[in-house]
């Protein structure tokens, strides 16, 4: 998983980030694995930054929802593109098939 602690601090001398914005991209976070979800919960809040979430979150809709909620709490904007794992739906999700 991505290590936000390794990034340089982006706040200016006055602590203002109005003109600064970071863009982060991650994929294959597979939050249906508990240890991956636990790592996401430790990510810092970056309300001025953008996250590009490039798929393979989970094939469980409730876990996808929880993951989105966590990411939206941490980033100002979140853009998502589903991966193949996200498109595998199950009858418990109310879907008859993945199509």
């Amino acid at each position: 998983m991505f290590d936000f602690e390794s990034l340089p601090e982006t706040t200016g001398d006055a602590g203002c980030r109005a003109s600064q914005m970071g863009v982060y991209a991650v994929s294959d976070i597979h939050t249906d694995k508990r240890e991956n979800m636990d790592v996401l919960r430790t990510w810092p809040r970056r309300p001025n930054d953008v996250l590009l979430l490039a798929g393979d979150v989970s094939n469980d809709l409730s876990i996808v929802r929880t993951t989105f909620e966590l990411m939206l709490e941490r980033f100002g904007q979140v853009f998502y593109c589903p991966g193949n794992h996200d498109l595998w739906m199950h009858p418990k999700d109310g879907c008859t098939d993945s199509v």
Side-chain angles (χ1 to χ4, degrees):
M1 286 304 227
F2 191 79
D3 179 14
F4 281 94
E5 301 304 318
S6 67
L7 296 173
E9 183 56 46
T10 57
T11 55
D13 292 338
C16 180
R17 294 185 56 178
S19 65
Q20 297 178 356
M21 176 183 72
V23 178
Y24 302 94
V26 296
S27 69
D28 297 274
I29 59 176
H30 298 282
T31 51
D32 40 0
K33 296 185 179 187
R34 183 182 190 108
E35 59 272 16
N36 292 351
M37 183 70 85
D38 290 345
V39 169
L40 259 59
R41 294 180 196 281
T42 69
W43 285 7
R45 297 194 191 301
R46 295 185 173 275
N48 295 329
D49 296 342
V50 172
L51 175 68
L52 306 173
L53 184 53
D56 287 355
V57 173
S58 174
N59 63 354
D60 183 316
L61 286 178
S62 66
I63 293 173
V64 171
R65 178 180 298 277
T66 300
T67 303
F68 287 174
E69 290 169 349
L70 283 170
M71 296 299 93
L72 288 168
E73 288 174 4
R74 283 160 175 74
F75 293 91
Q77 296 290 321
V78 176
F79 295 91
Y80 170 71
C81 177
N84 64 312
H85 289 266
D86 307 317
L87 299 175
W88 296 338
M89 296 293 119
H90 303 281
K92 72 176 186 140
D93 299 319
C95 303
T96 56
D97 59 42
S98 295
V99 176

